[in-house]
Amino acid sequence: MLPPMPRIHKEDWLAVYRDSQQLNRFAGFGIGLASLFTENVLAHPCIVLRRQCQVNYHARHYHLTPFTVINIMYSFNKTQGPRALWKGMGSTFIVQGITLGAEGIISEFTPLPREISHKWNPKQIGEHLLLKSLTYIVAMPFYSASLIETVQSEIIRDGAGILECVKEGIGRAIGLGVPHSKRLLPLLSLVFPTVLHGVLHYVISSVVQKLVLLVLKRKPYDGHLAESASPVQSMLDAYFPELIANFAASLCSDVTLYPLETVLHRLHVQGTRTIIDNTDLGYEVLPINTQYEGMRDCVRTIRQEEGLLGFYKGFGAVVTQYTLHAAVLQITKIIYSTLLQSGV
């Protein structure tokens, strides 16, 4: 006869449940933190180089592949130090904070919805996108100041403080205290391209995210996978679909709107007396002396003088950024899968 199965007391079940819950929370926090760190910190050097290439109309090397991007990053680090690749990171967080704060305040004092309900209608979507548009307009001068911080050469930087972005943004908005030339475009001329890029980026990201989540969350329920899934797999399935959906959404929107982003950044930087690094050589500096009359003129000039690939200058930095992000997600998944298996 087989020996009787040992009885598991209620206290033992509660202890196992509490351990599982703690491990679950730890896994969720760690996975989210790894993704946040990758998106906002590890990716910043790629964002810096990408923007410098986009505004550099002098450049003969377009840096369309990761290989040339990594090489020029090494040159900047060698000649100027690590700060050359991490400049402006504080201001990007400030712009994100201003954007979130502006959206919250506007939605609080207007009937514009911050979220779209499941029973949505065209009117609700229109009001929601109007809220996003107003938010981008409020954040626009600060975005412009942050952009300048990320492309300005470290060689001529005067060690500005972290709140310099706020000061410069306010100065740009009221037209005081910011050195500029007659080529500086008024903020009204920047409203349309800024809002267009922001709204399209948001729409593409939202649609792709929902589609990817729909596909990923249906997979575990095919056949008997859901019933036979291990606790480890169930825990990973609770967190990684969201991260993968966010990854795919950001990638698709960044790739699709890259030409528009190139135009937008050139318009924002024009006339601000910004000095950028020479992305052909990895040393020396170059002034920004463009004379675009607006968005249409910028598109026409780039197409005529730099060709269609001129809209994709620095695209190799996007490839590098998302390759790094995908690698971190995969490594994080492997690490937490190992930790969860040892803890289950």
Side-chain angles (χ1 to χ4, degrees), residues 43-332:
H44 193 75
C46 298
I47 294 172
V48 168
L49 187 64
R50 157 185 170 179
R51 292 180 173 183
Q52 283 194 315
C53 292
Q54 285 177 320
V55 301
N56 187 0
Y57 66 97
H58 302 279
R60 290 173 297 172
H61 299 295
Y62 288 11
H63 298 298
L64 301 176
T65 67
F67 308 107
T68 60
V69 164
I70 294 172
N71 184 50
I72 203 69
M73 280 183 176
Y74 173 77
S75 298
F76 285 151
N77 183 73
K78 185 178 179 181
T79 56
Q80 302 178 40
R83 289 183 59 184
L85 297 175
W86 302 94
K87 57 193 175 188
M89 188 170 66
S91 66
T92 59
F93 285 113
I94 290 175
V95 172
Q96 290 178 16
I98 291 174
T99 303
L100 291 174
E103 183 177 336
I105 293 172
I106 294 173
S107 65
E108 188 71 25
F109 291 95
T110 65
L112 303 178
R114 196 169 186 180
E115 301 288 342
I116 298 178
S117 64
H118 294 292
K119 297 180 180 179
W120 57 268
N121 54 64
K123 180 184 176 184
Q124 188 182 48
I125 291 179
E127 291 176 343
H128 180 66
L129 293 181
L130 177 59
L131 171 64
K132 292 291 182 181
S133 301
L134 294 174
T135 301
Y136 297 137
I137 293 173
V138 172
M140 182 172 62
F142 305 99
Y143 177 83
S144 183
S146 174
L147 171 65
I148 293 169
E149 281 194 26
T150 55
V151 301
Q152 183 93 298
S153 176
E154 193 68 22
I155 295 174
I156 55 94
R157 186 179 291 272
D158 55 1
I162 192 172
L163 295 179
E164 191 70 17
C165 167
V166 178
K167 176 185 173 183
E168 295 290 331
I170 294 173
R172 181 75 183 266
I174 63 178
L176 295 175
V178 182
H180 59 268
S181 68
K182 293 181 180 179
R183 293 175 285 105
L184 183 75
L185 292 171
L187 286 179
L188 283 177
S189 300
L190 299 175
V191 168
F192 177 71
T194 302
V195 171
L196 178 65
H197 177 267
V199 170
L200 287 178
H201 197 283
Y202 173 74
V203 170
I204 294 172
S205 297
S206 300
V207 171
V208 172
Q209 183 182 30
K210 291 187 184 304
L211 288 176
V212 173
L213 276 176
L214 187 65
V215 172
L216 292 177
K217 289 190 174 181
R218 285 181 62 181
K219 280 185 177 181
Y221 297 98
D222 294 340
H224 300 286
L225 289 177
E227 297 176 4
S228 59
S230 66
V232 172
Q233 189 61 43
S234 299
M235 201 172 291
L236 291 175
D237 288 341
Y239 295 106
F240 273 95
E242 191 80 30
L243 295 179
I244 294 171
N246 290 338
F247 170 82
S250 297
L251 175 61
C252 289
S253 52
D254 279 354
V255 170
T256 304
L257 298 176
Y258 197 88
L260 178 58
E261 185 183 76
T262 298
V263 173
L264 177 67
H265 287 170
R266 292 201 184 188
L267 295 177
H268 270 278
V269 171
Q270 178 172 297
T272 57
R273 296 184 178 177
T274 302
I275 305 295
I276 64 171
D277 294 306
N278 189 330
T279 56
D280 285 337
L281 304 175
Y283 56 90
E284 297 183 352
V285 293
L286 298 168
I288 299 294
N289 293 320
T290 54
Q291 298 184 21
Y292 306 123
E293 296 178 1
M295 181 178 174
R296 183 179 299 178
D297 181 53
C298 182
V299 171
R300 180 182 57 81
T301 304
I302 294 174
R303 187 172 62 244
Q304 289 179 352
E305 298 182 358
E306 302 167 61
L308 291 177
L309 289 179
F311 293 100
Y312 290 91
K313 282 185 173 179
F315 189 76
V318 175
V319 179
T320 305
Q321 174 184 341
Y322 284 99
T323 301
L324 177 65
H325 193 173
V328 171
L329 280 179
Q330 188 61 33
I331 292 170
T332 305

